[in-house]
Amino acid sequence: NVGIGIDLGIKELAITSDGNFYRNINKDKKVKELKKKLRREQRSFNRKIKNKKTEVNTANKNIEKNKLRIQRLYMRLRNIRKEYIRFVVNDIVKQEPSFITIENLNIKGMMKNRHLSKAIAEQCLYYLKSFLIYKCNINNIEVREVDRFYPSSKLCSNCNSIKKDLTLSDRTYKCNECGFEMDRDVNASLNLEYAKDY
């Protein structure tokens, strides 16, 4: 059996070198509605905390009810995301590849980027990685982790030349050397599959 390279991201959760795309669950209608509900409850909670003018017991009861609704929504969202990650990992593992290669992502460092931190947290990448390792251990599949500085996105999977001028907005990889064209994330996942240093 051949191996599989997995490119993890924010736009899509995961793209595998055999051409499978696993969507970002946070863009689903159901999740968006729950997030909207959560924002509403949080705003309501903040208002109640600020305007504690009513009788103390009533205010406290309402605040506690509000808090409980927020906790339940958080739990529902977390469960939906974790369930989806388990589905993705199981779907990849059941193909029985001889190895799976992922990037050694600096998730803590990525979380420091205030523009991306929320999206990264919602993708639960840390959970995905640990669950993938756990499932691979059970199924005797080797997990390979390439260095976080490995240029999987900038490398041409056809001729191995590096495209230094690749930007985040380039969704298609076009090689300057051999003219090869491919979806940038599929190209990155192929490079992860072919990686020799891990």
Side-chain angles (χ1 to χ4, degrees):
N1 282 11
V2 290
I4 289 177
I6 307 174
D7 183 55
L8 301 173
I10 294 169
K11 190 172 176 277
E12 311 283 347
L13 173 67
I15 296 93
T16 59
S17 54
D18 55 356
N20 284 326
F21 281 68
Y22 296 96
R23 73 191 190 286
N24 179 349
I25 192 82
N26 298 294
K27 291 178 183 175
D28 277 21
K29 194 182 172 188
K30 188 183 176 184
V31 174
K32 278 182 176 177
E33 279 171 7
L34 285 171
K35 280 165 73 178
K36 201 175 176 182
K37 222 182 233 182
L38 178 63
R39 279 196 301 273
R40 255 201 319 267
E41 290 290 352
Q42 283 170 329
R43 277 200 296 269
S44 165
F45 179 74
N46 290 335
R47 270 199 308 273
K48 284 186 182 108
I49 293 289
K50 281 177 189 171
N51 309 326
K52 228 177 169 186
K53 289 172 186 170
T54 46
E55 193 191 326
V56 175
N57 288 344
T58 317
N60 281 344
K61 271 182 189 173
N62 287 338
I63 286 167
E64 284 308 311
K65 281 180 188 173
N66 212 155
K67 207 189 227 175
L68 198 61
R69 286 196 296 270
I70 288 169
Q71 285 168 346
R72 280 183 183 146
L73 284 165
Y74 265 123
M75 203 178 285
R76 274 188 74 189
L77 281 165
R78 193 173 69 233
N79 289 344
I80 287 168
R81 287 168 183 145
K82 287 194 169 183
E83 201 177 298
Y84 179 62
I85 281 172
R86 287 195 284 268
F87 158 74
V88 170
V89 170
N90 286 328
D91 197 55
I92 293 168
V93 167
K94 77 178 181 195
Q95 294 172 51
E96 298 178 351
S98 53
F99 64 85
I100 289 174
T101 310
I102 54 171
E103 272 178 300
N104 180 2
L105 293 171
N106 178 13
I107 295 165
K108 272 187 185 172
M110 288 160 78
M111 291 290 282
K112 286 175 187 170
N113 181 334
R114 62 191 178 89
H115 301 294
L116 297 174
S117 58
K118 194 181 176 200
I120 291 160
E122 287 179 349
Q123 286 289 61
C124 304
L125 294 178
Y126 188 81
Y127 178 71
L128 188 152
K129 183 182 164 182
S130 45
F131 189 67
L132 177 71
I133 291 168
Y134 164 73
K135 289 298 284 188
C136 286
N137 284 342
I138 291 173
N139 291 277
N140 293 319
I141 298 167
E142 181 192 356
V143 177
R144 299 175 177 178
E145 273 189 79
V146 298
D147 188 84
R148 64 185 61 150
F149 300 110
Y150 177 70
S152 58
S153 296
K154 294 186 175 184
L155 204 62
C156 174
S157 58
N158 188 50
C159 74
N160 283 338
S161 65
I162 292 180
K163 185 181 172 78
K164 288 179 181 173
D165 58 351
L166 187 78
T167 64
L168 275 172
S169 58
D170 295 332
R171 298 317 307 163
T172 302
Y173 183 92
K174 293 177 185 173
C175 181
N176 299 335
E177 298 296 319
C178 69
F180 177 73
E181 277 190 38
M182 185 182 255
D183 176 276
R184 85 176 266 152
D185 297 325
V186 177
N187 179 65
S189 64
L190 279 168
N191 285 323
L192 289 167
E193 184 194 329
Y194 303 152
K196 295 284 177 271
D197 300 319
Y198 47 86

